[in-house]
Amino acid sequence: IENQGPFTLDAVASGYTFFTPSSTGKYYFQVSFPGQSVTNRGVTNYYTSSQSARVELTVQSEQIGYWTDLELPSGYWTRPLNAELRYVNQIASYWLAAASSGPHGPRAYSLNGNYQPYGSAPDSAHILWTREITFGGAVGGEFGDVAYYPGESYERKFSPVIIMNGRLYYNQRLGASLWDGTYCVDLYTGETIWYRNSTDKAREQITFGQILDIETPNQHGAIAYLWGVQGTTYKMYDAFTGDWILDLVGVPSGTMVFGVNGEILIYTINAANNYMTLWNSTKAINPTIDTTWSWRATSTSSNVTAGYQWNVTIADVPGSQSITKMTNEVMYCRATHQSTPTAITTDVAYDIANGKEPVQLFVQNRTYEGTIMNGPLSDGVFTAFIKELMVWYGYDVNTGAQLWGPTTPYENAWGMYQPYAGALAGDGKLLAYGYDGTVHCFDINTGQNLWNYYVGSSGFETPYGTWPMKDSAVTFADGKVYAATNEHSPNTPYFHGWRMHVIDAETGEGIWNISFLGLNPFIADGYALSLNYFDNQIYCFGIGESKTTIDASPKVASEGESIMIQGTVTDQSPGAIGVAAVSDEDQSKWMEYLYMQNEMPTDVTGVPVSLTAIDANGQVTELGIVTSDSTGLFKKLWTPATQGEYTIVATFAGSNSYGSSSASIAIGVTEASAQHSPQPTTPSETITPITTPSETSPTPAVTQPGDTVTTETLLITAVAIIIVIAVIATAFILRKRK
């Protein structure tokens, strides 16, 4: 007998505890209530004691099986995803544009840049669809090869980019501060789902998305919202319809992150008066959530002031500290006393795990021989770049101790333009890139330079000797680094050779690249989207659907006769329906032909197709693997071994570019035809020719050796032969009837 408790039950009289059996056998559990007086609203009631029934538990040594999870979809898939699936973050993700990036950049995945930690990302250059966002490409006429303006760097057309539940959201931009409305686009087709027009074109646009996990005693699940920030006014919209829900007026200015349930958290430091605040959107929208146990977002229920979760005094730090970088666990702040030629700072960090009141971790004074640029904060390491020296440092975010640095300086002096380039971190890696045309990868815990990927020499084509990467050029997702070459203010006509490069994050080796000038791709649900300045179209990279067809000739053959099996494998993506499916290795030049007016390549390879024959008894014969060609056609000549009915199945297993597909057809094999010889006639039998009346035929001309036989002669001869055959056949039939 083991006694536990007492326990306090929750408001609906439920409770639980844990018990670990020490041996096999039967156990019994019983709960006793001793009796209690409870006062509510001035009335006291006494509840008498009671005891539960005994509940039996049998403990055995044999493991009890767990529920078998459904397999995650592979290849091409669409939302909504079955909610019974588990571990979907291995394939599914979203992009909420949670924070600004770079000095001029669009909103990034988080405060630490464009590191997408969830889901998959494209392994080939296959394009699902393109969508025109404004006039693009070369102008022509008097303007020749001058291109239409893409908005770089201060009026970017494709911003922000928000992806939730298979839907893409972006603003329709008219000018520097003019917005015409918001589009909601199907991620899989590129088609418009809804469009919300702006009522105030000078101010109204969406800024970021939110997925809020509501967990109350009566509600469990996520709700998606869109937010438009206009100064200190936050406008909330329904993400499914685009309809306005409410305005929050007077939201504090500060640094925003999402809480563990997706709530909007805004941290503010007042360095002059030494205090810090935390504002929580859920408390402002629904101040009574703790007592009503329900989430109700309405235009009349909100109270911005109620959103302040805490307001606390912090220790004084020399200078004027401000937030530099932060996560949900820690905040890194800095007070800069001198910027150049020597940087002198006081750095301080705070423990803010799970929204708790800040606890100061350290205060450190630092001096740098050069200008300091803030790097990302990840894996407990804060990073910094000294641009004149082109070196990196790493610091322990909990103690302030220097962990590593300086690193070996960059070799190319264009790398100093880090303020107009960028860096991000994730999965134990620091990725930095710049005008030196190189992605530099460091181990963020040790500072070791793991690899450097160089996009190549441009010769005399660019003034840099390569193709630079500016701010908002790189995304890190699914073990791959996506780096788009671009510069601050690209002149037109554009330089040749701009491309998007995809790099293996472990080895630094290139995986694929494609003609492209623009920003980093925004990655969610296995798709990568970005605006290509070459034509001002949104490009959606990722796996598309495929279609396999099959045919056979003849469909019924004699035993020993060969059958030609043929079919096609084609792309069914919205941008290229019915076009041949080609190998992953040939995707870049094939896509450049399909979407970018490049010449059709003549050396592309199709995809492998497995052919299988199944007889009437279910016996399977593998006919082998054939490869389709640049038209999508595959073929194989096959001779069935035995008679019977067969099902021929063609299967394309899918690739990094296309989902799988298959097709089947039925054929028959019959007994070989017997060769019959005509029976000889007996001497006593006489075949009497049967003549029929006919018009007098024209007399054929007599030909001499070397003369050409006339058409008339050939026709008369053919008619004569037909008549003789008919006479013989009739006589044969008459003889058989005797």
Side-chain angles (χ1 to χ4, degrees):
I1 295 176
E2 178 181 328
N3 294 312
Q4 293 189 12
F7 303 104
T8 300
L9 304 186
D10 62 24
V12 290
S14 297
Y16 64 89
T17 188
F18 293 98
F19 174 77
T20 302
S22 58
S23 62
T24 59
K26 290 187 182 296
Y27 291 78
Y28 298 91
F29 300 92
Q30 192 170 35
V31 178
S32 298
F33 173 60
Q36 184 177 350
S37 294
V38 177
T39 301
N40 185 29
R41 297 179 183 178
V43 177
T44 299
N45 290 304
Y46 178 75
Y47 294 86
T48 59
S49 61
S50 59
Q51 193 174 55
S52 74
R54 293 207 317 168
V55 176
E56 179 182 300
L57 170 69
T58 300
V59 177
Q60 61 188 36
S61 58
E62 181 184 353
Q63 176 66 54
I64 296 175
Y66 291 94
W67 190 275
T68 302
D69 290 327
L70 299 175
E71 288 190 13
L72 291 173
S74 60
Y76 179 81
W77 56 270
T78 60
R79 286 184 181 263
L81 284 168
N82 182 358
E84 197 172 7
L85 293 170
R86 299 292 187 271
Y87 312 111
V88 292
N89 58 3
Q90 297 177 23
I91 61 170
S93 52
Y94 46 80
W95 191 283
L96 302 180
S100 61
S101 175
H104 317 298
R107 295 186 67 84
Y109 184 88
S110 72
L111 285 175
N112 285 304
N114 292 316
Y115 170 55
Q116 166 60 279
Y118 304 110
S120 58
D123 286 308
S124 87
H126 180 258
I127 297 169
L128 196 69
W129 51 263
T130 60
R131 180 184 173 98
E132 192 176 35
I133 196 170
T134 187
F135 286 145
V139 178
E142 295 180 27
F143 296 98
D145 46 12
V146 170
Y148 283 101
Y149 178 50
E152 182 73 28
S153 285
Y154 304 101
E155 300 170 316
R156 286 168 171 163
K157 305 291 186 182
F158 193 41
S159 178
V161 178
I162 300 168
I163 305 171
M164 293 188 289
N165 202 59
R167 296 187 178 194
L168 163 69
Y169 306 87
Y170 65 90
N171 296 309
Q172 181 64 39
R173 192 167 197 163
L174 299 178
S177 300
L178 294 176
W179 311 88
D180 192 43
T182 301
Y183 279 100
C184 174
V185 174
D186 190 309
L187 182 61
Y188 312 106
T189 66
E191 297 177 349
T192 299
I193 296 176
W194 54 256
Y195 171 74
R196 183 183 59 80
N197 197 12
S198 296
T199 56
D200 182 354
K201 296 188 186 306
R203 290 167 54 83
E204 191 172 349
Q205 76 277 355
I206 58 169
T207 308
F208 61 89
Q210 179 190 23
I211 297 178
L212 181 63
D213 180 16
I214 295 299
E215 298 297 334
T216 72
N218 298 309
Q219 299 160 297
H220 307 278
I223 306 174
Y225 298 110
L226 296 170
W227 288 89
V229 179
Q230 303 173 11
T232 60
T233 298
Y234 280 50
K235 303 178 76 68
M236 183 185 197
Y237 303 92
D238 179 80
F240 186 74
T241 65
D243 292 333
W244 173 83
I245 299 175
L246 57 83
D247 284 355
L248 294 176
V249 181
V251 175
S253 298
T255 302
M256 189 196 91
V257 294
F258 288 122
V260 293
N261 291 319
E263 63 271 32
I264 301 168
L265 301 178
I266 297 179
Y267 289 85
T268 302
I269 286 183
N270 187 310
N273 297 302
N274 292 325
Y275 69 84
M276 184 187 302
T277 65
L278 172 61
W279 183 87
N280 186 327
S281 63
T282 57
K283 294 182 177 296
I285 293 170
N286 201 162
T288 61
I289 189 172
D290 292 335
T291 56
T292 59
W293 301 344
S294 60
W295 172 253
R296 297 287 186 268
T298 67
S299 59
T300 59
S301 64
S302 60
N303 181 347
V304 172
T305 303
Y308 284 96
Q309 188 162 315
W310 45 253
N311 182 336
V312 297
T313 300
I314 56 176
D316 184 55
V317 172
S320 180
Q321 63 171 312
S322 61
I323 299 172
T324 300
K325 293 287 181 179
M326 64 181 296
T327 67
N328 283 324
E329 304 297 320
V330 66
M331 176 190 296
Y332 199 97
C333 301
R334 171 176 293 140
T336 301
H337 309 292
Q338 179 178 302
S339 298
T340 58
T342 301
I344 302 174
T345 69
T346 298
D347 291 4
V348 56
Y350 300 92
D351 180 357
I352 56 169
N354 301 317
K356 72 179 182 181
E357 295 183 3
V359 176
Q360 190 180 90
L361 296 171
F362 67 83
V363 177
Q364 286 277 359
N365 295 317
R366 307 191 195 281
T367 301
Y368 301 93
E369 296 303 320
T371 307
I372 184 171
M373 307 305 303
N374 299 324
L377 186 163
S378 181
D379 296 87
V381 179
F382 174 78
T383 58
F385 182 77
I386 309 303
K387 75 170 189 176
E388 291 84 356
L389 303 179
M390 298 187 296
V391 297
W392 285 91
Y393 290 86
Y395 301 95
D396 188 310
V397 75
N398 293 303
T399 66
Q402 181 176 324
L403 297 174
W404 49 264
T407 55
T408 302
Y410 293 171
E411 295 180 357
N412 187 329
W414 284 107
M416 72 166 288
Y417 280 100
Q418 192 66 37
Y420 293 95
L424 58 107
D427 197 24
K429 295 178 175 62
L430 166 66
L431 297 163
Y433 51 92
Y435 272 56
D436 59 349
T438 302
V439 178
H440 307 268
C441 179
F442 302 91
D443 184 314
I444 200 169
N445 294 296
T446 66
Q448 179 187 0
N449 186 195
L450 301 175
W451 51 259
N452 299 295
Y453 179 89
Y454 181 52
V455 301
S457 171
S458 63
F460 297 119
E461 181 65 18
T462 77
Y464 315 102
T466 185
W467 293 272
M469 289 168 281
K470 64 181 296 290
D471 63 285
S472 306
V474 172
T475 301
F476 181 19
D478 191 23
K480 295 176 285 289
V481 179
Y482 296 77
T485 52
N486 188 8
E487 63 176 340
H488 182 275
S489 305
N491 291 1
T492 63
Y494 296 128
F495 297 132
H496 297 95
W498 298 105
R499 301 187 76 78
M500 180 187 294
H501 298 260
V502 180
I503 310 159
D504 187 310
E506 290 301 316
T507 66
E509 298 295 322
I511 300 174
W512 60 267
N513 63 79
I514 194 169
S515 177
F516 195 90
L517 171 62
L519 301 181
N520 64 286
F522 309 93
I523 296 176
D525 282 356
Y527 295 98
L529 297 97
S530 191
L531 183 67
N532 193 341
Y533 294 170
F534 281 141
D535 56 13
N536 281 345
Q537 292 195 96
I538 302 169
Y539 278 68
C540 179
F541 297 91
I543 292 178
E545 287 186 279
S546 70
K547 180 180 180 180
T548 297
T549 67
I550 189 172
D551 199 3
S553 180
K555 289 185 173 61
V556 178
S558 298
E559 188 174 358
E561 183 179 357
S562 294
I563 294 173
M564 173 58 75
I565 302 168
Q566 65 181 34
T568 60
V569 181
T570 55
D571 191 346
Q572 297 299 301
S573 301
I577 294 178
V579 174
V582 304
S583 66
D584 291 337
E585 293 73 20
D586 292 327
Q587 280 300 315
S588 292
K589 56 186 175 182
W590 191 244
M591 294 297 107
E592 289 169 352
Y593 153 64
L594 291 178
Y595 293 94
M596 303 176 190
Q597 291 91 45
N598 285 16
E599 289 191 13
M600 179 179 177
T602 58
D603 58 346
V604 298
T605 303
V607 296
V609 181
S610 175
L611 296 175
T612 305
I614 307 171
D615 65 18
N617 298 318
Q619 184 69 32
V620 177
T621 301
E622 299 293 341
L623 306 186
I625 296 176
V626 294
T627 302
S628 60
D629 60 22
S630 61
T631 68
L633 177 69
F634 65 84
K635 56 186 180 296
K636 184 176 181 63
L637 195 63
W638 177 56
T639 304
T642 58
Q643 304 172 37
E645 297 176 344
Y646 290 86
T647 299
I648 309 298
V649 181
T651 303
F652 168 48
S655 65
N656 292 330
S657 305
Y658 313 98
S660 61
S661 58
S662 63
S664 60
I665 192 172
I667 65 168
V669 180
T670 61
E671 182 181 359
S673 302
Q675 302 297 321
H676 296 288
S677 301
Q679 296 183 12
T681 57
T682 60
S684 59
E685 292 179 329
T686 302
I687 299 176
T688 304
I690 299 175
T691 59
T692 56
S694 63
E695 296 182 1
T696 303
S697 300
T699 303
V702 179
T703 60
Q704 300 298 325
D707 290 350
T708 301
V709 180
T710 63
T711 302
E712 181 180 314
T713 303
L714 293 174
L715 291 172
I716 293 171
T717 304
V719 171
I721 292 172
I722 292 171
I723 292 173
V724 171
I725 293 173
V727 170
I728 294 173
T730 305
F732 182 75
I733 292 170
L734 292 174
R735 183 178 66 80
K736 293 287 287 185
R737 288 178 178 176
K738 291 180 181 180

